[in-house]
Amino acid sequence: MEKSIETIWKEGFLESEALVAPKINDLYNQKSKQLIAKMKRMFKVNITAIVILSIIFPILHYFLDATWQGVAASVMLLTLAWYSKRQMKGIKTLNQGVNSYEYLKTFDQWLKNALSRNEKIIRFSYPLSLLIAMSTLWSAWNSQEELTAKIAQKFPGLIFIGNVPLALLVVAGIVTLLMFYFSGNIYRWDIRLVYGRVFDKLEETIAEMEKLRRE
Amino acid sequence: MSSDFYQFSILPFAAIIIKICRAYTNSQEDFEDYYQEVCLQIWRSKDNFKGQCEWSTWVYRISLNVCLTLLKKKKNGQQHFTSDRLPDDVTTDNKAFENESLNQLYKAIKYLSEVDRAVILLYLDEKPYSEIANILGTNPNNIGVRVKRIKERLKKILDGKIN
């Protein structure tokens, strides 16, 4: 080696072209792309998981002697997956020709609309899921005649409909109504649990870009 | 970010940012992304600067931290290269500078681990050991030994490439 590294360094940076700073005109471009790509990936994973569950459920229910409930759960999950997939197509209609800030704002608006629409669907699908689960339990209970006989013996005052105590049906009804009432909250909690961090990141980035535009 | 802030607080120190970002990226696109991210981070953390050190030291520190963070995110599980085998992507942008020797030196620097790269960049920019240690959060005594070792390694790498 002819020159020392110190000399190479000094001489190299004496040339003015070596230290030309790049223009900073599109500060958040890459960041916005990455953020939205991450969200799209998460949505896709979610839809795939729903489809997988819709296949597993009927098989599982078949072994629990509740095939119809399994089929019902599967149909419900597939409908949800189809609806989510349809919603995702909306992302493609967003104008990508605008600047990063406007694109993120449009995406944020799309996301809020999508979540609000989902909430309306979930209001029915959550209680329905609960009813399917209870129906599965009911099927399992009905096949346990010895258990019913034992309960009837121990609590002779209980009224039964089929093999199931009426009190239990009343409780199931109340829980379903509560589920219907609170499904929106449960959905929002569920969404925060899964997507909370990335949604916060979106909000933070938009807020920061707004600050950047103001200063 | 106001153009004044960029004009007076970043642009005069752009050389620092460019030198560091070049050492941690292998393409012009990545370099520009890293540069922008460093500028943003300097702007974001400007209120945290209380004059506890020189502004240039602050810029060094932020530049290094941002580059190391971005590199870690990018590698995301890939192995850091500390062996003498040249990673494929190091060869992708060997025309970053007009000066060929400088390109070769940068290429050699990219053989080093991330921390060694930081040490040698600061050393080559004539930062005293105490400041290097301050920026990297280590003991000044270790820096001297480390610089010597890094220089020997760089010489070995360059000997095969520059004559």
Side-chain angles (χ1 to χ4, degrees):
Chain A
M1 195 176 81
E2 287 171 357
K3 296 173 184 173
S4 70
I5 59 168
E6 290 88 345
T7 314
I8 296 172
W9 186 262
K10 269 184 197 161
E11 286 181 1
F13 284 113
L14 280 179
E15 292 170 19
S16 55
E17 300 85 22
L19 289 171
V20 176
K23 285 179 184 165
I24 49 165
N25 50 1
D26 204 5
L27 280 172
Y28 279 90
N29 198 14
Q30 196 64 20
K31 203 180 262 264
S32 312
K33 280 186 206 161
Q34 282 167 359
L35 187 61
I36 291 178
K38 188 176 181 183
M39 282 195 182
K40 281 184 190 169
R41 275 200 306 276
M42 288 177 85
F43 295 151
K44 270 187 188 166
V45 169
N46 192 22
I47 293 174
T48 312
I50 292 175
V51 172
I52 292 171
L53 276 178
S54 75
I55 297 166
I56 294 172
F57 267 38
I59 301 168
L60 206 70
H61 280 75
Y62 171 78
F63 291 109
L64 288 171
D65 213 11
T67 314
W68 283 111
Q69 287 87 337
V71 172
S74 176
V75 168
M76 196 190 68
L77 288 170
L78 283 173
T79 311
L80 272 180
W82 168 80
Y83 186 72
S84 304
K85 180 93 183 152
R86 213 178 123 220
Q87 294 246 66
M88 270 197 71
K89 280 186 182 165
I91 300 178
K92 288 180 186 160
T93 64
L94 303 179
N95 183 6
Q96 292 193 30
V98 292
N99 62 44
S100 305
Y101 171 71
E102 280 166 16
Y103 183 55
L104 278 189
K105 282 290 277 184
T106 324
F107 181 80
D108 186 47
Q109 195 51 53
W110 168 84
L111 189 64
K112 281 180 178 136
N113 291 340
L115 291 178
S116 154
R117 280 193 294 267
N118 280 356
E119 205 176 307
K120 282 172 193 153
I121 303 279
I122 291 297
R123 191 164 282 273
F124 295 96
S125 75
Y126 275 9
L128 202 62
S129 311
L130 189 77
L131 283 174
I132 291 170
M134 283 191 295
S135 170
T136 308
L137 284 175
W138 193 338
S139 291
W141 187 303
N142 266 335
S143 59
Q144 302 287 322
E145 284 180 7
E146 276 180 33
L147 177 71
T148 311
K150 272 185 188 171
I151 293 174
Q153 207 175 5
K154 201 166 185 185
F155 306 100
L158 274 181
I159 302 164
F160 282 82
I161 292 183
N163 283 333
V164 182
L166 177 65
L168 210 62
L169 288 174
V170 171
V171 170
I174 292 168
V175 172
T176 308
L177 281 175
L178 285 173
M179 179 62 111
F180 183 77
Y181 186 76
F182 289 110
S183 55
N185 298 53
I186 296 169
Y187 174 67
R188 282 191 291 275
W189 176 77
D190 189 16
I191 285 289
R192 273 224 68 81
L193 202 70
V194 183
Y195 299 108
R197 272 182 70 181
V198 69
F199 284 1
D200 286 348
K201 188 80 195 156
L202 177 69
E203 298 277 331
E204 272 171 30
T205 309
I206 291 174
E208 197 168 71
M209 285 168 97
E210 278 167 352
K211 196 179 168 202
L212 195 71
R213 283 158 73 94
R214 276 197 305 273
E215 282 195 18
Chain B
M1 189 189 321
S2 70
S3 57
D4 276 0
F5 182 79
Y6 183 71
Q7 197 73 25
F8 298 112
S9 301
I10 295 183
L11 214 49
F13 304 92
I16 296 171
I17 309 170
I18 292 170
K19 286 172 185 174
I20 291 173
C21 291
R22 281 281 180 214
Y24 289 96
T25 56
N26 297 315
S27 71
Q28 183 64 20
E29 198 188 2
D30 275 355
F31 163 70
E32 287 178 13
D33 276 346
Y34 278 46
Y35 180 87
Q36 292 190 358
E37 188 60 38
V38 170
C39 291
L40 261 179
Q41 200 53 52
I42 293 171
W43 169 74
R44 277 188 204 127
S45 55
K46 65 183 189 303
D47 296 334
N48 296 332
F49 179 73
K50 310 280 184 215
Q52 62 273 51
C53 59
E54 296 270 327
W55 177 251
S56 65
T57 306
W58 184 255
V59 173
Y60 267 111
R61 200 176 286 169
I62 291 175
S63 305
L64 283 168
N65 288 341
V66 169
C67 286
L68 291 172
T69 308
L70 290 176
L71 202 65
K72 202 173 276 178
K73 274 187 191 169
K74 198 170 179 187
K75 286 191 173 179
N76 198 18
Q78 285 177 29
Q79 264 194 332
H80 291 216
F81 46 92
T82 48
S83 71
D84 282 347
R85 190 182 65 78
L86 185 66
D88 298 336
D89 58 350
V90 168
T91 57
T92 56
D93 188 30
N94 52 6
K95 297 284 173 215
F97 303 104
E98 287 294 312
N99 186 305
E100 192 45 39
S101 302
L102 188 61
N103 277 329
Q104 291 297 330
L105 177 57
Y106 257 94
K107 203 168 160 183
I109 287 173
K110 287 173 191 176
Y111 275 106
L112 305 171
S113 70
E114 284 86 354
V115 178
D116 281 355
R117 269 185 257 182
V119 172
I120 200 69
L121 288 171
L122 293 164
Y123 165 79
L124 288 170
D125 256 359
E126 296 177 339
K127 291 280 160 198
Y129 290 168
S130 57
E131 198 173 336
I132 298 176
N134 182 18
I135 290 169
L136 298 174
T138 182
N139 189 330
N141 299 330
N142 299 337
I143 298 295
V145 183
R146 197 138 184 187
V147 165
K148 195 167 173 279
R149 218 183 297 147
I150 297 168
K151 278 175 71 180
E152 280 167 9
R153 184 134 190 269
L154 280 177
K155 271 178 202 158
K156 271 187 198 168
I157 298 166
L158 285 168
D159 274 343
K161 300 182 189 299
I162 299 174
N163 268 310

